Amino acid sequence: MKHLGVLKPDTLVTLLNWIGIPIVALYVGSMFVYPWFASDCTWRSVENVWDRWQSLNVGMLAFVSSITAFNIGRYNAEKQREREFMASKAFLPDALSGLASYFADSAVLLRKGWAASLGNSINTVLPIPPPDFKVVFRDCIRHADREVGEYLARILRRLQVHAARLAAFVDQQSDDTWVSPHQYNLVTYIYRLGELQAMVNRLFPFARGQEPLDASALTWEDFKDAYGILNFWIEDFRIDDTNNLEAFTKRALGRADSMDAKQAA
């Protein structure tokens, strides 16, 4: 069992409510209801009970005041968090639009990479992420509830991996020597870019205040829409008869579903 000193304030208030409310209910019944039935039902008898338990009454009054103050403090803190999140969320649609443009530039680079894998030599330019999206995401994560914060954090982690992969890919190329990329690696990069696009697609309606965030697992339809937005035509990305972008995506989704089922079990 955790020591109370390491419990979060919100958890401590919840614990006090679970313990304190039944105690207060028992106290009210014992001090204000039971004495009327356990005596001759006169005010003097009840007053004598209260006088006899005066120290307990003072202690309970202080206890109730403490619980009330803690709950008022938690309510005010929650309202402050909501206001701060609303202010941070106002910048989220613009940040997502910047990311969408970055994804489009990344898709152009990956399509060029696919053309290079077919024997065409091309020039590559590393796409640059929008400069302010990290600050917006950081502020939203700081003030959002747990589900929204975790969703935004997942996008940030995947963006870091995506940027590192693109940088490594461009570094392999030079004006004098062209290193033909492996098609399987490119399909992996395209899948991850499609995942980012699909996650951002779900985030747009929430950022605009149109509907709650859908943080459930992505589906093939989500990826199909994302590939269309990025101009990745599924029939163009085929390694062989059994390995193509659609088959790779569906296998990856199947593995993700299996992992989720194991964790739930």
Side-chain angles (χ1 to χ4, degrees):
M1 182 178 178
K2 293 183 178 180
H3 191 274
L4 291 181
V6 300
L7 288 177
K8 295 181 180 179
D10 189 67
T11 304
L12 182 58
V13 174
T14 301
L15 181 62
L16 284 175
N17 287 335
W18 276 100
I19 296 175
I21 292 177
I23 292 176
V24 172
L26 179 62
Y27 167 77
V28 170
S30 300
M31 194 60 62
F32 295 95
V33 178
Y34 179 75
W36 292 96
F37 298 97
S39 63
D40 54 3
C41 295
T42 62
W43 172 253
R44 183 177 297 275
S45 299
V46 175
E47 189 177 24
N48 288 336
V49 173
W50 292 351
D51 183 67
R52 190 179 309 119
W53 295 97
Q54 186 175 7
S55 298
L56 175 63
N57 293 333
V58 172
M60 286 301 301
L61 181 61
F63 182 63
V64 171
S65 299
S66 299
I67 292 179
T68 303
F70 279 131
N71 280 281
I72 291 174
R74 182 169 68 171
Y75 175 81
N76 290 335
E78 177 63 17
K79 289 300 179 182
Q80 179 65 22
R81 182 196 68 79
E82 291 177 357
R83 288 192 294 269
E84 291 175 347
F85 177 60
M86 188 179 299
S88 302
K89 184 181 174 183
F91 297 94
L92 191 55
D94 185 61
L96 295 179
S97 296
L99 284 178
S101 298
Y102 171 59
F103 295 159
D105 294 339
S106 299
V108 171
L109 175 60
L110 293 177
R111 286 197 299 272
K112 288 182 177 180
W114 188 265
S117 72
L118 300 177
N120 301 318
S121 180
I122 56 172
N123 294 324
T124 58
V125 177
L126 181 65
I128 304 300
D132 57 347
F133 82 93
K134 290 183 179 180
V135 175
V136 175
F137 271 54
R138 181 198 64 193
D139 292 341
C140 287
I141 291 171
R142 180 180 297 165
H143 304 303
D145 58 33
R146 181 176 179 180
E147 183 181 48
V148 174
E150 289 179 351
Y151 191 88
L152 293 173
R154 286 200 303 271
I155 293 178
L156 277 180
R157 290 193 295 268
R158 284 161 172 75
L159 274 168
Q160 291 170 357
V161 174
H162 170 74
R165 284 173 170 170
L166 288 191
F169 172 71
V170 172
D171 286 343
Q172 291 176 355
Q173 322 308 325
S174 68
D175 294 335
D176 299 327
T177 303
W178 175 267
V179 179
S180 180
H182 195 287
Q183 287 187 336
Y184 186 86
N185 290 341
L186 284 171
V187 169
T188 303
Y189 298 167
I190 292 170
Y191 165 76
R192 289 302 180 184
L193 179 57
E195 181 183 41
L196 280 168
Q197 182 68 59
M199 294 181 74
V200 167
N201 287 347
R202 285 193 175 183
L203 196 54
F204 262 114
F206 170 77
R208 292 166 177 162
Q210 297 172 343
E211 58 186 57
L213 175 64
D214 180 6
S216 61
L218 296 174
T219 65
W220 163 243
E221 291 301 321
D222 293 320
F223 275 89
K224 189 176 180 180
D225 292 341
Y227 291 149
I229 292 173
L230 296 169
N231 291 323
F232 288 135
W233 309 117
I234 297 171
E235 59 273 11
D236 294 338
F237 297 91
R238 179 179 298 276
I239 300 173
D240 53 43
D241 292 338
T242 58
N243 289 309
N244 55 48
L245 183 57
E246 180 176 355
F248 181 92
T249 302
K250 289 182 176 179
R251 285 197 300 269
L253 290 174
R255 289 193 297 269
D257 290 341
S258 299
M259 291 180 61
D260 291 341
K262 289 180 180 178
Q263 292 176 355

